[in-house]
């Protein structure tokens, strides 16, 4: 439902009563006044946020330090990180800005590290000079120790104890707690197992500590993503089978001692799955006594209210009250980005803060109206939200508030004084070591540092209490449109010139069921591919095409062209080119946009062909169609920009100079099997938009999808003679290149084939034709010890094994700093074991087949040979169905240098090289010595390193702190240097120009008798 409609319906569900709103606002303002007065109880965090919120450079730098410093094992990298982050700030500008004694006394690092570095007299005399000197001396261990210590202190603000025993000791007798065992989302089975053990141990420890009649004082909060390495919708069956029993076991243990267990809420993509699991546990575990299993609902989610209705129904069904913790939600920024990246039709969350607040209030109202079904737990640090819940509750006190450890202390102290018989308060208490704290800490810092956050605003004394306590309902009412115009909708990401391609949500059970049905069952009748000349498919039966995931599945036939058809294709294309060129940029663009729309309309017909013929997994198939659509829309926009009208150039008066761009003639487009739709359509679209006629030759492995694509383009209006398809094997492709009428070649494939094409073109007695070649890469990623290994693991797995490593951008050689190499290899190997290699038609498959038996055999031979040299570190398992197809198990091989590889191994094989932290530069030189220059990845929190690297390395695409595949058209134009290709980059602003020829038209406007323009110039004009 569009945000406006949803917000309108929330407004209807809230009482329209100004006096009521004013009384809540007044109560909230009174709490704020009390909180501000309570300076003695301000936490270190409060002081930190007041001075270094997210809104200044220093605040961001310190957050980066906080996030990374604790996990860096070597002093060299730690020093660099400190220098990097401290270097960006204007630290002295913060001096004297705060009236807080501590903040004012030094920079934040020093405030918190008073124990380690005493602030000496030099500092008090001249703080700015002292800070500069400090920055110069950063390498000194004492400073490094000081900053580390600072991070630790900040960490302990949020953590109740490193172990449950320590936490229990530190817990205050008068508080109720919900203990959370800190942990990153698990990437491998071992981490999930460890986390499960920590929970079991925590619950058992609580049993020992819980006194009679005090069980309700304790509970635990569980993050499901830490309990299973693949807690995602695509793995639903596996998650229900493996995680279901685990969570039931914990819930039973908790139920036995009468304590509550709450399932934390995570990303919106996981909502359906978490509800399935919750229902399962709620129905399976019936506590004799005590609160039982509870759920968290995020008010920022557009589905919040229906989820509450669902919970009420479930409570009635199981005949038990369900604890519901209502939060606003902690992943707002991530949800917005994810929806944009995936091209979803809309965001799963509200886009204005006030709408989230309104949603919270409407949800709270519903919860409080159903006390028999729901035990309300209102988790917030916002005074207005507290006051509103109190107003809604009236006299009722059958609910509780919750706050996070280290936050909200003075808020609830003030509220408890203000209201009679204030409800119970529970503290959410993270337990864990500093290493485990990071993800949690970053969330908290981000949340509280944001200038929309209540905590941040309350610290800003310039804002009057009434303003901070403004009624959000009033704000929502007076704000149009409901959707924040500053947050770009996924479809509008590329502005007015083109619509973003739309994605398909593979966490939507309906979409998934429909797609899977189409992909799993055999095609209703065999497909047929053949050359298409003048819009007519050629005849003949041709060779059979099989599914590489199941060689028994016959997909169809391909009739290959003979020499006479090639001649005919050139005849037709040359005949059509002038008219097509004359259609102009605008005319051609409109037709290509129609192609893009049609491709989106027909994607559910195209996806099964991509899955069966090219072995694409479902997410890869969707991404491929999106890329093809993006190419069409992008090049259409480029055609308008560059080809619509001639450009007027400067010159003397009495003369007009016009520069226009035109097609070169007949372009031959030769595309590979690994992106049989996206690259195929991308090359054709670019050549056509520049005004060329096209002869397209798809890879011999994937003619079926190419045939369908050309039919689709013709049916969308591309003139049939301007686009001809020739289906042939490699050797006949050579005949296309050699043809005297070939005016240019766009080629994507191996470096070797590109060289042959180059020679063939050069050998012709014909005009010299351009070759646009995009070839392979020996792509490297560098990981230093400041990187977050969980994130590295995700990105390595996607980059090396996604699409079975059959992408030219795929990661081939991973350079790991030796200090973290063993840990990283273990985590990556663990994550490899969690991959499902098998039939790509199944949603739960991560890695599909290798395109041909020859290719698979060569990859296996390479692994065998390396294994013989003792290089093999890990091989992932294959699913049973792999016997029928051409699969290769993902492998991790350790080598000394990239030079151990004679060529690119185009499959799911990852090579690892270790490097010393102090020898980063020579590791980079090693990687570059291959001569390829396509993609390069870096995982590091040291920004200067990223900047320097991207400046120095001769590669086409550099990716920092993310995966290195899946370049987005128009955002990350794709293509390499050196052995990796000629450029210009596909999907970039210079690409179409290479397909074009230029013409200037100079007119002497005085030739017909005098310069009328000059003579009629107005004498008075300036
Ligand atoms: C005890 C406890 C347990 C928690 N458990 C969970 C959990 O399981 N899962 C989880 O996700 N979070 C959880 N949280 C975190 C919680 O979501 C945040 O602390 C909360 O959002 C902050 O809300 P507030 O009312 O304190 O602050 P406020 O400052 O009033 O609200 C800030 C929130 O508003 C929302 N917001 C900010 N900007 C926008 C915008 N432009 N459009 C729409 N919404 C916006 C965001 O949700 C942001 O976090 C928990 C918090 C507590 C106290």
């Amino acid at each position: 439902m569009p945000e406006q409609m949803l917000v309108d319906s929330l407004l209807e569900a809230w009482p329209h009563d100004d006096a009521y709103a004013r009384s809540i606002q007044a109560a909230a303002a009174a709490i704020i006044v009390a909180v501000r007065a309570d300076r003695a109880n301000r936490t270190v965090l409060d002081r930190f946020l007041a001075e270094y919120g997210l809104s200044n450079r220093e605040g961001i730098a310190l957050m980066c330090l906080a996030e990374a410093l604790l996990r860096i094992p070597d002093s060299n990298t730690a020093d660099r990180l400190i220098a990097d982050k401290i270097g960006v700030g204007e630290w002295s500008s913060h001096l004297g800005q705060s009236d807080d004694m501590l903040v004012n006394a030094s920079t934040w690092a020093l405030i918190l590290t008073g124990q380690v570095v005493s602030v000496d007299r030099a500092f008090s005399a001249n703080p700015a000079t002292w800070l500069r000197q400090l920055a110069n001396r950063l390498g000194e261990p004492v400073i490094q120790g000081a900053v580390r210590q600072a991070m630790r202190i900040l960490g302990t603000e949020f953590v109740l104890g490193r172990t449950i025993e320590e936490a229990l000791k530190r817990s205050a007798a008068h508080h109720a707690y919900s203990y959370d065992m800190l942990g990153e989302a698990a990437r491998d089975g071992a981490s999930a197992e460890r986390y499960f053990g920590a929970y079991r141990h925590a619950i058992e420890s609580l049993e020992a500590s819980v006194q009679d009649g005090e069980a309700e004082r304790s509970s635990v909060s569980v993050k499901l993503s830490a309990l299973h390495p693949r807690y995602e919708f695509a793995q639903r069956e596996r998650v229900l089978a493996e995680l279901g029993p685990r969570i039931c076991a914990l819930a039973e243990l908790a139920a036995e001692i009468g304590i509550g267990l709450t399932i934390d809420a995570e990303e919106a993509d996981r909502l359906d799955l978490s509800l399935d699991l919750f229902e399962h546990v709620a129905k399976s575990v019936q506590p004799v006594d005590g609160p039982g299993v509870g759920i968290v609902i995020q008010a920022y989610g557009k589905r919040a209210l229906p989820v509450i209705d669902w919970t009420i129904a479930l409570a009635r069904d199981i005949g038990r009250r369900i604890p519901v913790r209502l939060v606003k939600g902690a992943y707002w920024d991530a949800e917005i980005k994810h929806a944009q990246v995936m091209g979803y039709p809309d965001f799963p969350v509200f886009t204005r803060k006030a709408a989230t607040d309104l949603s919270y209030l409407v949800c709270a109202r519903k919860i409080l109206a159903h006390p028999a079904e729901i035990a309300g737990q209102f988790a917030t640090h916002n005074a207005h939200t507290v006051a509103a819940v109190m107003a809604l509750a009236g006299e009722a006190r059958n609910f509780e508030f919750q706050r996070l450890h280290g936050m909200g202390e003075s808020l609830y102290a003030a509220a408890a004084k203000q209201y009679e018989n204030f409800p119970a308060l529970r503290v959410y208490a993270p337990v864990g070591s500093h290493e485990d704290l990071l993800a949690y800490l970053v969330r908290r810092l981000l949340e509280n540092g944001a200038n929309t956050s209540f905590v941040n605003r309350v610290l800003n004394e310039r804002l009057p209490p009434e303003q901070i306590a403004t009624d959000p309902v009033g704000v929502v009412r007076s704000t149009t449109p409901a959707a924040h115009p500053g947050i770009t909708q996924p479809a509008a990401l590329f502005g007015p010139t083109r619509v973003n391609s739309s994605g398909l949500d593979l966490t939507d059970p309906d979409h998934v069921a429909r797609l899977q049905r189409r992909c799993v069952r055999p095609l209703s009748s065999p497909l047929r591919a053949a050359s298409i000349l003048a819009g007519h498919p050629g005849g003949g039966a041709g060779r059979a095409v099989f599914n590489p995931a199941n060689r028994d599945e016959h997909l169809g036939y391909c009739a290959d062209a003979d020499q006479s058809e090639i001649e005919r294709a050139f005849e037709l294309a040359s005949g059509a080119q002038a008219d097509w060129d004359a259609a102009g940029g605008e005319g051609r663009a409109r037709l290509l946009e129609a192609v893009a729309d049609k491709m989106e309309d027909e994607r559910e017909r195209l996806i099964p062909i991509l899955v069966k013929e090219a072995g694409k997994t479902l997410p890869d198939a969707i991404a491929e169609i999106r890329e093809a659509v993006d190419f069409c829309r992008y090049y259409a926009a480029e055609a308008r920009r560059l080809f619509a009208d001639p450009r007027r150039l400067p010159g003397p008066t009495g003369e007009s100079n016009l520069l226009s761009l035109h097609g070169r003639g007949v372009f031959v487009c030769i595309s590979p099997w690994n992106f049989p739709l996206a690259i195929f359509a991308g090359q054709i679209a670019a050549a056509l938009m520049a005004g060329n006629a096209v002869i397209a030759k798809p890879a011999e492995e994937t003619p079926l999808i190419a045939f369908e694509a050309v039919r689709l383009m013709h049916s969308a209006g591309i003139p049939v003679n301007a686009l001809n398809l020739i289906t042939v094997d490699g050797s006949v492709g050579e005949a296309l290149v050699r043809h005297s009428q070939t005016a240019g070649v766009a080629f994507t494939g191996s470096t070797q084939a590109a060289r042959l094409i180059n020679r063939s073109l050069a050998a012709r007695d014909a005009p010299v034709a351009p070759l646009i070649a995009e070839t392979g890469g020996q792509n490297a990623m560098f990981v230093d010890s400041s990187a977050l290994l969980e994130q590295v693991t995700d990105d390595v797995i996607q980059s090396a094994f996604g699409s079975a490593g059959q992408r030219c951008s795929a990661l081939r050689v991973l350079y790991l700093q030796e200090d973290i190499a063993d840990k990283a290899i273990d985590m990556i190997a663990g994550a490899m074991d969690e991959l499902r290699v098998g039939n790509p038609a199944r949603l739960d498959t991560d890695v599909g087949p290798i395109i041909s038996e020859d290719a698979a055999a060569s990859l296996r031979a390479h692994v065998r040979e390396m294994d013989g040299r003792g290089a093999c570190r890990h091989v992932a398992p294959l699913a049973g169905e792999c016997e029928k197809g051409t699969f290769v198990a993902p492998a991790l091989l350790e080598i000394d240098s990239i030079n151990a590889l004679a060529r690119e191994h185009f499959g799911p094989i990852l090579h690892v090289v270790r490097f010393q932290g102090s020898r980063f530069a020579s590791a980079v030189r090693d990687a570059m010595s291959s001569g390829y220059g396509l993609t390069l990845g870096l995982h590091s929190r040291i920004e200067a390193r990223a900047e320097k690297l991207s400046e120095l390395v001769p590669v086409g695409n550099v990716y920092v702190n993310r995966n290195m595949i899946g370049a987005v058209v128009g955002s990350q134009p794709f293509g390499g240097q050196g052995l990796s290709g000629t450029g210009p980059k596909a999907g970039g602003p210079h690409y179409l120009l290479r397909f074009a020829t230029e013409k200037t038209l100079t007119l002497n406007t005085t030739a017909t008798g005098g310069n009328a323009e000059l003579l009629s110039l107005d004498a008075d004009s300036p």
Side-chain angles (χ1 to χ4, degrees):
M1 191 193 286
E3 193 160 348
Q4 186 70 55
M5 276 169 73
L6 203 53
V7 166
D8 289 345
S9 72
L10 288 176
L11 281 173
E12 271 171 36
W14 187 252
H16 189 88
D17 180 343
D18 287 346
Y20 186 60
R22 274 197 304 275
S23 74
I24 295 175
Q25 187 176 2
I31 297 177
I32 293 168
V33 170
V35 167
R36 284 183 172 170
D38 186 15
R39 304 187 81 82
N41 281 328
R42 274 198 180 180
T43 60
V44 176
L45 173 80
D46 287 343
R47 279 174 264 166
F48 164 61
L49 287 171
E51 182 59 29
Y52 295 105
L54 270 188
S55 47
N56 66 51
R57 251 187 325 176
E58 293 79 16
I60 293 170
L62 285 173
M63 285 182 207
C64 292
L65 261 184
E67 191 266 334
L69 202 58
L70 289 178
R71 65 165 175 266
I72 300 179
D74 61 305
S75 54
N76 180 21
T77 312
D79 276 354
R80 279 172 179 271
L81 183 77
I82 294 171
D84 193 69
K85 301 301 171 210
I86 299 287
V88 300
E90 290 277 331
W91 303 98
S92 54
S93 68
H94 289 271
L95 295 169
Q97 292 302 307
S98 165
D99 59 1
D100 187 299
M101 268 298 292
L102 274 170
V103 174
N104 210 14
S106 78
T107 66
W108 174 73
L110 299 173
I111 311 165
L112 299 169
T113 56
Q115 304 93 317
V116 182
V117 183
S118 58
V119 179
D120 62 13
R121 239 182 287 138
F123 170 76
S124 340
N126 190 345
T129 313
W130 189 89
L131 279 173
R132 221 172 299 121
Q133 283 166 358
L134 172 73
N136 291 340
R137 286 190 287 131
L138 277 171
E140 291 180 15
V142 65
I143 301 300
Q144 206 206 96
V147 181
R148 270 172 192 273
Q149 183 66 13
M151 303 308 153
R152 290 220 164 85
I153 293 171
L154 188 60
T156 51
E157 279 289 300
F158 284 110
V159 179
L160 190 59
R162 279 168 301 180
T163 60
I164 186 74
E165 288 78 14
E166 197 177 290
L168 285 171
K169 255 187 230 145
R170 287 185 63 195
S171 57
H174 56 282
H175 277 328
Y177 285 93
S178 187
Y179 298 97
D180 161 54
M181 307 311 289
L182 284 174
E184 282 276 350
R187 265 57 177 194
D188 55 8
S191 310
E193 193 57 48
R194 239 188 346 267
Y195 192 71
F196 178 69
Y199 262 102
R200 205 176 31 210
H201 173 68
I203 299 173
E204 285 163 357
S205 310
L206 285 172
E207 181 176 18
S209 78
V210 166
Q211 308 293 315
D212 277 351
E214 281 199 348
E216 75 279 5
R217 275 195 45 221
S218 295
S219 64
V220 288
S221 290
V222 179
K223 200 154 122 247
L224 294 183
S225 62
L227 277 176
H228 196 278
R230 300 301 305 271
Y231 173 50
E232 51 199 88
F233 184 80
Q235 305 293 326
R236 185 174 178 277
E237 304 312 319
R238 189 182 155 195
V239 168
L240 293 180
E242 295 172 7
L243 183 53
R246 277 187 172 193
I247 189 73
C248 281
L250 293 178
E252 262 160 29
L253 206 56
E256 274 169 28
I257 56 171
I259 67 167
L261 182 142
T262 304
I263 296 179
D264 280 358
E266 300 184 55
E267 295 86 348
D269 264 3
R270 288 165 157 159
L271 180 59
D272 276 311
L273 186 55
S274 72
L275 295 182
D276 286 347
L277 275 164
F278 181 73
E279 181 175 359
H280 172 65
V281 189
K283 287 183 170 168
S284 316
V285 182
Q286 288 286 351
V288 186
D289 209 5
V293 195
I295 191 173
V296 179
I297 296 177
Q298 297 157 319
Y300 67 14
K302 291 178 176 168
R303 288 180 281 174
L305 208 52
V307 174
I308 292 179
D309 288 334
W310 177 87
T311 313
I312 293 169
L314 179 64
R316 288 180 183 147
D317 190 17
I318 60 175
R320 185 166 53 78
R321 221 174 157 220
I322 294 179
V324 170
R325 178 195 301 153
L326 185 64
V327 300
K328 285 179 193 161
Y331 307 88
W332 182 78
D333 51 327
E335 296 291 2
I336 295 287
K337 178 167 183 189
H338 185 65
Q340 287 182 338
V341 169
M342 300 302 288
Y344 289 160
D346 205 344
F347 300 112
V349 293
F350 294 104
T351 54
R352 291 192 196 260
K353 163 81 167 64
T356 292
D357 290 334
L358 168 65
S359 163
Y360 192 100
L361 300 187
V362 175
C363 289
R365 192 161 187 250
K366 180 141 248 175
I367 288 172
L368 289 167
H370 291 85
E373 291 89 358
I374 293 187
Q377 304 175 334
F378 300 101
T380 178
H381 303 126
N382 184 326
H384 185 278
T385 312
V386 171
V389 170
M390 290 305 290
L392 283 170
E395 298 300 309
R397 291 294 181 265
N398 51 359
F399 62 95
E400 69 181 32
F401 281 105
Q402 297 192 350
R403 69 170 177 86
L404 298 175
H405 171 68
M407 295 180 63
E409 242 162 297
S410 38
L411 171 84
Y412 281 102
K417 276 193 201 138
Q418 190 163 310
Y419 294 93
E420 234 171 79
N421 190 17
F422 193 70
L425 175 67
R426 186 178 297 275
V427 179
Y428 182 100
V431 178
S433 65
H434 298 305
E435 291 73 32
D436 292 328
L437 167 73
L438 297 167
Y440 177 80
L441 180 66
V442 171
R443 278 277 121 225
R444 296 286 81 81
L445 292 178
L446 275 173
E447 175 185 317
N448 298 308
N451 57 11
T452 49
S453 123
F454 175 84
V455 173
N456 191 280
R457 287 161 67 82
V458 89
L459 291 167
N460 180 356
E461 306 248 356
R462 285 185 293 264
L463 295 177
E466 295 70 27
Q467 189 178 334
I468 301 173
T470 303
D471 172 32
V473 186
V475 174
V476 173
R477 252 195 210 111
S478 60
T479 314
T480 49
H484 198 305
I487 299 169
T488 313
Q489 287 287 329
L493 215 53
F494 300 107
T497 51
R498 72 180 161 111
V499 179
N500 188 14
S501 58
S502 69
L504 236 173
D505 184 355
L506 286 180
T507 64
D508 179 327
D510 292 341
H511 286 165
V512 171
R514 219 175 39 240
L515 268 187
Q516 282 212 288
R517 264 198 310 277
R518 277 173 166 270
C519 293
V520 171
R521 70 179 180 211
L523 297 170
S524 49
S525 54
L527 291 169
R528 190 171 170 282
S531 299
I532 304 178
L533 303 177
H536 301 297
R543 62 192 155 93
V545 181
F546 293 97
N547 180 347
N550 177 4
R551 294 271 159 206
D552 296 341
E553 189 181 350
H554 175 220
L555 303 177
Y557 300 92
C558 174
D560 286 336
D562 58 24
Q563 194 56 41
S564 69
E565 283 171 306
I566 289 178
E567 283 307 327
R568 174 113 173 96
F570 275 99
E571 219 176 276
L572 291 165
S574 330
Q577 194 263 330
D579 283 350
W580 176 241
D581 190 42
E586 177 60 40
R588 295 194 296 267
R590 271 203 300 272
L591 293 179
L592 196 61
E593 282 166 345
V595 170
D597 294 348
K598 209 162 174 34
M599 248 183 221
E600 277 193 335
D601 290 347
E602 297 193 17
R603 67 181 166 187
E604 293 197 15
R605 185 175 71 79
L606 299 173
I607 287 171
I609 306 175
L610 284 167
V611 169
K612 287 173 182 285
E613 187 185 34
K616 297 268 163 182
T617 58
L618 293 176
D620 280 352
I622 292 169
E624 170 129 21
I625 292 174
R626 289 192 65 199
E627 190 178 356
V629 168
D630 282 336
F631 271 134
C632 291
R633 292 192 181 137
Y634 179 79
Y635 293 138
E638 285 291 284
R640 284 200 178 93
R641 179 173 76 88
L642 297 165
F643 293 80
D645 296 306
R647 203 167 126 193
R648 188 170 289 282
L649 300 176
T653 179
E655 186 176 290
S656 124
N657 292 292
L658 294 174
L659 175 70
S660 56
L661 296 171
H662 301 273
R664 302 183 76 93
V666 178
F667 238 86
V668 172
C669 295
I670 304 176
S671 54
W673 48 262
N674 64 337
F675 285 92
L677 180 65
I679 297 182
F680 178 77
Q683 289 178 346
I684 293 173
L688 285 175
M689 285 304 95
N692 299 289
V694 170
I695 299 176
K697 185 201 102 55
E700 57 196 88
E701 292 85 350
T702 50
L704 300 177
I705 187 72
F707 181 83
E708 294 300 323
V710 170
R711 301 272 286 185
L712 184 149
M713 290 180 179
H714 286 158
S715 68
I718 301 291
V720 290
N721 290 350
L723 170 60
N724 298 277
L725 178 73
I726 290 287
T727 51
V728 285
D729 67 15
S731 60
V732 191
E734 168 84 7
L736 294 171
V737 173
R738 278 179 186 277
H739 202 281
S740 60
Q741 281 179 306
T742 295
V745 177
F747 167 77
T748 303
S750 71
T751 308
Q752 210 182 357
R755 282 199 190 109
L756 292 176
I757 291 173
N758 196 24
R759 286 189 195 119
S760 298
L761 275 177
R764 301 174 319 152
D765 281 331
V768 174
L771 166 62
I772 305 164
E774 217 181 278
T775 54
Q778 198 69 290
N779 310 310
M781 178 191 279
F782 295 87
V783 177
D784 73 19
S785 63
S786 70
L788 179 63
L789 287 191
E790 284 79 5
Q791 195 188 344
V792 169
T793 301
D794 288 349
D795 293 340
V796 165
I797 295 283
Q798 285 166 16
S799 305
F801 306 123
S803 312
Q806 300 172 108
R807 291 172 178 257
C808 31
S809 55
L811 167 62
R812 306 282 176 221
V813 187
L814 175 66
Y815 285 78
L816 291 173
Q817 186 175 327
E818 60 182 8
D819 309 79
I820 44 107
D822 285 335
K823 205 170 164 194
I825 289 173
D826 283 352
M827 207 182 276
I828 293 166
M832 285 168 71
D833 287 340
E834 300 301 328
L835 291 172
R836 185 175 196 285
V837 186
N839 180 3
R842 292 177 49 150
L843 179 66
D844 60 351
T845 291
D846 302 293
V847 180
I850 299 300
I851 193 68
S852 68
E853 191 44 53
D854 283 355
S858 140
L859 292 166
R860 286 188 209 112
H862 173 62
V863 175
R864 258 197 318 276
E865 190 202 327
M866 295 304 247
D867 192 24
R869 293 196 226 158
C872 191
R873 293 284 165 272
H874 197 73
V875 177
L878 294 178
E881 75 255 21
C882 290
E883 281 165 14
K884 291 189 162 184
T886 48
F887 289 89
V888 169
L892 195 159
L893 310 172
E894 185 164 348
I895 54 178
D896 292 333
S897 155
I898 205 166
N899 295 315
L901 306 174
R903 61 193 168 81
E904 190 185 7
H905 296 279
F906 209 71
I909 301 175
L910 173 67
H911 306 88
V912 170
V913 175
R914 292 175 199 245
F915 69 93
Q916 285 175 16
S918 57
R919 300 184 56 80
F920 184 78
S922 71
V924 175
R925 274 196 298 280
D926 184 65
M928 291 301 112
S929 66
S930 73
Y932 286 95
L934 191 52
T935 61
L936 181 130
L938 170 70
H939 265 275
S940 173
R941 291 290 185 265
I942 303 172
E943 271 173 55
R945 183 162 265 176
E947 275 162 29
K948 188 132 196 199
L949 190 70
S950 77
E951 242 169 55
L952 294 182
V953 289
V955 300
N957 293 56
V958 179
Y959 297 98
V960 180
N961 294 332
R962 52 155 282 174
N963 68 36
M964 47 196 273
I965 53 171
V968 174
V969 173
S971 294
Q972 297 124 14
F974 188 73
Q977 308 177 7
L979 294 178
S980 295
T982 59
K985 282 166 167 295
H990 309 126
Y991 196 57
L992 285 200
L993 294 172
R994 192 75 183 113
F995 288 81
T997 188
E998 297 172 300
K999 190 188 278 180
T1000 58
L1001 172 63
T1002 299
L1003 288 177
N1004 179 1
T1005 52
T1006 63
T1008 46
N1011 189 340
E1013 205 184 330
L1014 193 62
L1015 288 169
S1016 60
L1017 201 65
D1018 186 348
D1020 296 331
S1021 68

